[in-house]
Amino acid sequence: MTEGRESVSHPMCLEVCLEDSQLVLSSFTASHQGPITLEFQPTQGLGWDYAFVTIEESDVAGSDIERLRTELEHDPTVTEAEYLGTIGDDNRFKLRFEDGVPLFPPETTEMGVQVLSARHADGDWNILMHVPTHSTLHEIQSHYHDHGITFRVKRLHIARETDIGAETALPPGQREALLVAYRNGYFQVPRDVSQEEVADELGISKSGVSQRLRRSIDRLIEATLDP
């Protein structure tokens, strides 16, 4: 019976909200007010211990960068923090974790789960994932329950064959930017192209690409996840 239900299971977009002192970066996020974006990337021989973190903070100088790096290294879950560079208000670091509960199960790839975004703002982590089956959804819930992590499901959208394509809600410029980025592997892990390369193909600035991608993803989330 289980196999029969699984065969007709539909993929889902899941957004969860996490707030717990056991999570990675909990000490840093407790003291930092600005938005933080986390992107995991597998590293040979090290699994998912490494991650890229983007800290949004404007008008940073050399002393500010050193302050952010020091604050990151003082987080008990972080063993290494390397500054990679700043573009606009985005200050990018590479981190290595040694302790703390991961924001999502380390087995996400094997489970067929795609993590679309992991962003901290206003005291909470918001994780957006594409989940292939209901049984996988239960595995994700078990990950949080087993570690005693407080979480709540903000949105759950189950894809149906009758769903109307959300891309119709996108203006032409945003749709083109999203398609060019997707077809060239911008959303792959690791990325096949940079924002600058996407910008060159579109003939616009890098900041223009960044704005179009953010706005198009925001529109798609609104169109597919909001009831």
Side-chain angles (χ1 to χ4, degrees):
M1 295 296 293
T2 302
E3 291 181 359
R5 287 196 299 269
E6 188 70 27
S7 64
V8 297
S9 181
H10 296 280
M12 295 158 278
C13 277
L14 170 69
E15 184 177 4
V16 296
C17 181
L18 310 175
E19 181 184 6
D20 200 289
S21 60
Q22 302 177 76
L23 294 168
V24 293
L25 280 181
S26 57
S27 176
F28 180 80
T29 55
S31 60
H32 187 79
Q33 300 301 315
I36 302 168
T37 303
L38 200 63
E39 176 186 339
F40 281 90
Q41 185 168 311
T43 306
Q44 186 175 8
L46 295 171
W48 294 87
D49 293 338
Y50 275 92
F52 293 108
V53 61
T54 299
I55 303 170
E56 296 182 28
E57 189 169 314
S58 60
D59 301 323
V60 295
S63 59
D64 298 310
I65 295 298
E66 183 58 27
R67 170 181 55 80
L68 290 174
R69 191 189 66 79
T70 300
E71 290 176 357
L72 287 167
E73 288 189 335
H74 284 173
D75 187 290
T77 66
V78 176
T79 58
E80 296 177 24
E82 177 186 349
Y83 173 62
L84 299 178
T86 296
I87 301 176
D89 294 340
D90 294 344
N91 307 285
R92 198 163 169 81
F93 294 81
K94 182 177 73 174
L95 306 182
R96 183 178 183 184
F97 295 112
E98 186 177 65
D99 203 356
V101 178
L103 299 179
F104 34 80
E107 306 83 12
T108 49
T109 300
E110 290 88 346
M111 293 161 60
V113 175
Q114 182 182 9
V115 179
L116 302 175
S117 67
R119 182 176 174 83
H120 187 278
D122 301 323
D124 298 321
W125 281 104
N126 283 274
I127 315 297
L128 181 62
M129 294 175 272
H130 181 272
V131 182
T133 64
H134 280 84
S135 63
T136 308
L137 175 61
H138 295 318
E139 291 183 60
I140 294 172
Q141 292 174 323
S142 296
H143 168 75
Y144 298 126
H145 283 305
D146 292 346
H147 289 91
I149 299 299
T150 301
F151 79 98
R152 61 185 176 89
V153 175
K154 293 185 66 177
R155 296 184 181 92
L156 178 63
H157 174 77
I158 302 175
R160 306 288 185 182
E161 292 181 359
T162 55
D163 281 352
I164 299 175
E167 69 274 5
T168 57
L170 296 179
Q174 292 180 20
R175 185 174 187 274
E176 181 186 21
L178 193 63
L179 285 174
V180 168
Y182 174 76
R183 289 169 178 168
N184 284 280
Y186 177 77
F187 297 106
Q188 294 296 316
V189 178
R191 287 174 174 165
D192 293 335
V193 295
S194 65
Q195 275 192 9
E196 187 172 357
E197 290 172 304
V198 175
D200 288 342
E201 182 164 340
L202 291 170
I204 61 177
S205 67
K206 186 192 294 187
S207 62
V209 168
S210 177
Q211 291 177 9
R212 289 187 185 185
L213 291 180
R214 288 186 182 184
R215 289 171 180 169
S216 62
I217 291 173
D218 183 72
R219 279 175 174 264
L220 288 176
I221 292 173
E222 182 180 1
T224 57
L225 297 183
D226 273 347

